[in-house]
Amino acid sequence: MTALLATVAATRSAFATLRRKPRGGSARWARTNHAGRTVDLYGGLAAATGTVLATAAAPGLPVRSRTAALAVLAAGGCGAYDDLAGTPGERGFRTHMGALQEGRVTSGAVKLFGIGAAGLAAGALLKERPVDRLLAGVVVAGTAHLVNLVDVKPGRAAKAVIAAGVPGMLRGGPAGALAGAPVGAAVAVLADDAGERTMLGDAGAHALGAAVGVSIVVANGRAGLVLHAALLAGLAAAGDWVSYGEGLWSAPGLRTIDSLGRRPQ
C-alpha cells in the first residue's frame, strides 16, 4: 500500500510538471486518438516516471529487485522513442524485420530489441540459474508487450495493469511492493486516460507492463515462470484477438468494466 500511494503522488506530480513545462513545446506531445480528439502523451511519461521513482525508493526491497527498476526505465524509454519517432504505417513484427533486411532500423525494431534486452537484464538480476533468467526475461518483456497490445481504447491498458497487479500486491513482501508501483501509476492516470485527456502511449504501456512483469518474476519460481511465459506467448500469438476481439471485449461484465469512465463516442 505504501508503494501504491507513493507512486500515485509521484505520478501526479510528474504529470503536472510535464503539462506545465512540456519539453520541446506542447505540439510535440499531442496526438489525435481513434475518436478524432486531441490528447497528450504526458500520462504515459508520468506513469513511467512515477513507477521508476517509487520502485527505487520503496523501503525494504533487496538491491537487485530495486535495480530491476532500470528495466522499467528502459522499457519506457524505448516506448517513448517509438511514440516520438514511429511511423504509423510501420507496425508489426514482420514489418520491422523486413525493414532490417533492407538495411533500415525502424523505431519499432529499437523498441522490440531494447525491451527484450531490458527483460533479459532484469532476469539476470533477479534469478540465479540461466533457465530461470531466460524465463524471467520472457515474462518481463512479454508483460510489457501484452499491456501495449490492449492499449487500443482509452483506459483499457491502465485497468489491465490494475487487474494484473492487485493480486501481486496481496502477497506482501518485495513482490507486493513491486506490484504496488505500477498499480499506483495506473490509478493516478486512469481518469485522464479514460476521459481522453491523455494517453499512455508506448512509453506508459511498456513501462507499466514491464513493472508488472518484474513483480511476477520476484513472486514466482520456475514453475510459475513457465506458466506465465507460456500464457504470454499464447496471448502475443493471438495479438489481434487480444487487441480487438469482439467476443472478448464485448463479453458481459468485461464490457462494463472496459467502458467505465470512457467518454461517449
Side-chain angles (χ1 to χ4, degrees), residues 139-244:
V139 169
V140 173
T143 309
H145 178 61
L146 176 61
V147 174
N148 192 55
L149 272 181
V150 302
D151 188 30
V152 295
K153 290 288 183 69
R156 180 178 290 176
K159 292 171 186 174
V161 167
I162 294 169
V166 166
M169 289 178 59
L170 299 178
R171 289 177 175 268
L178 289 166
V183 170
V187 168
V189 300
L190 177 57
D192 288 292
D193 184 14
E196 299 183 52
R197 293 180 289 276
T198 192
M199 62 187 293
L200 288 179
D202 282 3
H206 282 104
L208 292 177
V212 172
V214 167
S215 72
I216 291 171
V217 168
V218 170
N220 284 273
R222 182 173 298 176
L225 292 178
V226 169
L227 288 174
H228 280 91
L231 176 61
L232 289 165
L235 292 172
D240 287 343
W241 177 77
V242 171
S243 296
Y244 306 104

Side-chain angles (χ1 to χ4, degrees), residues 25-111:
S26 58
R28 185 185 187 193
W29 306 99
R31 296 293 184 273
T32 301
N33 71 1
H34 70 289
R37 299 185 178 108
T38 299
V39 298
D40 62 52
L41 290 167
Y42 306 139
L45 297 173
T49 300
T51 301
V52 171
L53 291 177
T55 301
L61 280 182
V63 173
R64 288 195 173 195
S65 296
R66 198 184 304 279
T67 307
L70 293 175
V72 179
L73 182 63
C78 290
Y81 176 71
D82 196 33
D83 283 333
L84 294 174
T87 303
E90 292 189 323
R91 299 292 180 186
F93 180 80
R94 291 183 180 179
T95 300
H96 301 313
M97 294 302 100
L100 285 175
Q101 290 178 344
E102 297 170 1
R104 293 188 302 110
V105 180
T106 64
S107 60
V110 171
K111 181 179 67 175

